[in-house]
Amino acid sequence: MLRIVDQGMISHVESRGAYMPWLTPLPDGSFIGSQHVGQQLGSDDNHIVVLRSTNGLSWTEQGSIHAGGTPTDGWAYRAPQISVVGDTTQLVMTCTRFETGDGKLFDPDSEALSRPQMCLFWSDDGGVSWTPPQIVPVDLDPARYTWNSAGQLVQLSPDRWIWPLETWKPEGFEGPPDQRAWQIVSKDQGQTWTDLSVVADDPSGEILYWDQMNCQLADGRLYTLLWTHLYGTSQDICNHQVYSEDQGNTWTAPILTNLQGQVCTPIPLPDGRVAAIYNHRHEPQGVHVALSEDLTTFDTANELVVFDAGAEATLGTPDHDNFLAEHMLIAFGKPGGRRLDDGTLLTWFWCTVGGTTHTRWVRVEIVD
């Protein structure tokens, strides 16, 4: 059984939205968080803000990592995630940035995304200051692909880091996108990246494997949950999972789960089970958490609602008959979480309540 033991706000930003939070415990017992902030989910003013907490309950904004408070380099920065490097005090932040220009990052007419770059920022002072972005090259044809990070950086060992990404199509490319879930590997703790390989894809192009959310299980296997969508429609299939027994060198074919969700983040438990926090995008919409013993069948009869979207599930009506245009108007999403040392699950997401788009955390207890 799952129950909420505490909850609160991470951050809201006056007159703008706060999106896609990520929370990380630090070796000294405190927490650091990151999110991107902008006028809209897909606007080109998105920039990174860092947050602090002594206990994971009350949060304060440290501020933007960009000079002057917002980027002036022609890029919009999204979905930052901070990790501690090994057992050191060094931090690394992953994100994707997109070229700016016309006020939006996605063109609903062409279905194209702005040009991207995957970036790393480094901090040697606990996240007080950050290096300029280190651009991570991806060995794909930019005339055919855009790409962005998805899921979390996994540090399997000092000489094997894995970073997931996914592809779409750029402006000027005619035809449907070659959408796949991919990964890149670093063998020198993030300094260089190679070994681009596919984690999941459908060669027919009919099934899209979006937002691969990944973790390392208690037994060492890598496990990923995928939002699974039918291209050209508004229809989601149940989430699929893939796993790897050889540190991501090979992956299983996608395996159907019983979760009818979208973005879906697994939280590994020490007894081999997994808790999944996911976007429940059919009525009543919200963010749910469910447990699974076999990684495939989740106990949806006893799942926990950590956020009920109510009437604020979307922010309006799209002006295009296009699923991605619809998705740019969602009012909540990108849930994540981790198990803390006390056994509770710290979960987080962004949402809209009373017209204010902000980020929240919910502490969940597993009662067996």
Side-chain angles (χ1 to χ4, degrees):
M1 186 174 80
L2 299 162
R3 69 181 185 93
I4 294 174
V5 295
D6 209 351
Q7 58 188 309
M9 183 181 294
I10 302 170
S11 173
H12 87 281
V13 181
E14 203 67 40
S15 77
R16 290 174 292 172
Y19 305 95
M20 299 189 186
W22 190 262
L23 308 181
T24 304
L26 296 177
D28 65 1
S30 67
F31 293 77
I32 191 169
S34 57
Q35 61 189 12
H36 75 252
V37 170
Q39 294 294 327
Q40 298 176 341
L41 175 62
S43 58
D44 69 0
D45 64 339
N46 291 162
H47 60 280
I48 298 171
V49 169
V50 171
L51 307 106
R52 295 283 183 176
S53 174
T54 58
N55 54 14
L57 305 179
S58 58
W59 291 82
T60 58
E61 285 194 12
Q62 176 179 302
S64 171
I65 71 166
H66 309 282
T70 55
T72 57
D73 54 5
W75 299 90
Y77 292 78
R78 292 168 49 86
Q81 298 183 3
I82 298 173
S83 302
V84 178
V85 178
D87 58 1
T88 73
T89 57
Q90 186 181 40
L91 303 178
V92 60
M93 179 193 298
T94 61
C95 80
T96 304
R97 68 181 190 176
F98 293 88
E99 281 185 333
T100 61
D102 60 0
K104 59 182 184 297
L105 305 182
F106 169 71
D107 185 339
D109 292 315
S110 65
E111 294 189 322
L113 282 175
S114 295
R115 300 283 180 181
Q117 289 181 337
M118 290 170 61
C119 306
L120 298 174
F121 296 85
W122 301 87
S123 176
D124 291 323
D125 57 10
V128 176
S129 62
W130 297 87
T131 64
Q134 171 192 335
I135 308 307
V136 174
V138 177
D139 189 19
L140 289 168
D141 180 1
R144 181 177 178 84
Y145 295 99
T146 63
W147 49 87
N148 58 270
S149 60
Q152 61 181 312
L153 174 69
V154 178
Q155 302 174 44
L156 296 172
S157 65
D159 60 358
R160 188 165 180 81
W161 290 10
I162 292 179
W163 189 4
L165 64 144
E166 61 186 33
T167 48
W168 197 248
K169 70 173 185 175
E171 195 66 54
F173 181 78
E174 300 296 333
D178 182 5
Q179 194 281 329
R180 310 186 209 184
W182 307 71
Q183 67 179 20
I184 50 176
V185 174
S186 176
K187 300 174 183 177
D188 53 13
Q189 299 185 63
Q191 300 310 302
T192 60
W193 294 84
T194 57
D195 298 342
L196 175 71
S197 60
V198 173
V199 173
D201 92 294
D202 174 21
S204 75
E206 296 178 3
I207 297 175
L208 307 178
Y209 294 111
W210 278 336
D211 280 287
Q212 52 171 323
M213 305 301 287
N214 58 316
C215 69
Q216 186 172 22
L217 300 173
D219 62 9
R221 288 182 296 169
L222 299 178
Y223 175 71
T224 297
L225 285 166
L226 300 134
W227 171 10
T228 311
H229 186 79
L230 288 180
Y231 178 62
T233 76
S234 295
Q235 182 180 347
D236 294 321
I237 310 171
C238 283
N239 294 80
H240 283 61
Q241 61 109 332
V242 294
Y243 65 86
S244 172
E245 297 181 330
D246 57 7
Q247 296 198 316
N249 286 295
T250 60
W251 292 85
T252 64
I255 301 165
L256 184 70
T257 76
N258 66 324
L259 285 181
Q260 183 64 56
Q262 291 188 354
V263 179
C264 183
T265 299
I267 305 171
L269 305 180
D271 60 6
R273 291 182 297 172
V274 164
I277 180 168
Y278 71 100
N279 291 335
H280 188 273
R281 294 268 183 216
H282 41 282
E283 298 301 331
Q285 295 195 44
V287 180
H288 296 192
V289 181
L291 290 171
S292 175
E293 296 186 359
D294 64 3
L295 309 181
T296 301
T297 305
F298 288 82
D299 185 6
T300 56
N302 295 298
E303 67 183 10
L304 178 68
V305 178
V306 294
F307 176 70
D308 181 358
E312 292 182 284
T314 61
L315 297 174
T317 303
D319 55 6
H320 287 73
D321 184 17
N322 175 299
F323 175 75
L324 285 176
E326 295 175 14
H327 195 68
M328 289 297 168
L329 294 176
I330 59 174
F332 70 93
K334 204 69 173 190
R338 66 174 70 243
R339 182 182 179 275
L340 300 179
D341 290 342
D342 64 4
T344 62
L345 308 181
L346 177 61
T347 68
W348 55 80
F349 48 88
W350 65 271
C351 60
T352 305
V353 177
T356 299
T357 300
H358 59 283
T359 52
R360 289 190 178 189
W361 62 266
V362 177
R363 194 77 67 93
V364 174
E365 183 179 41
I366 302 173
V367 182
D368 291 318

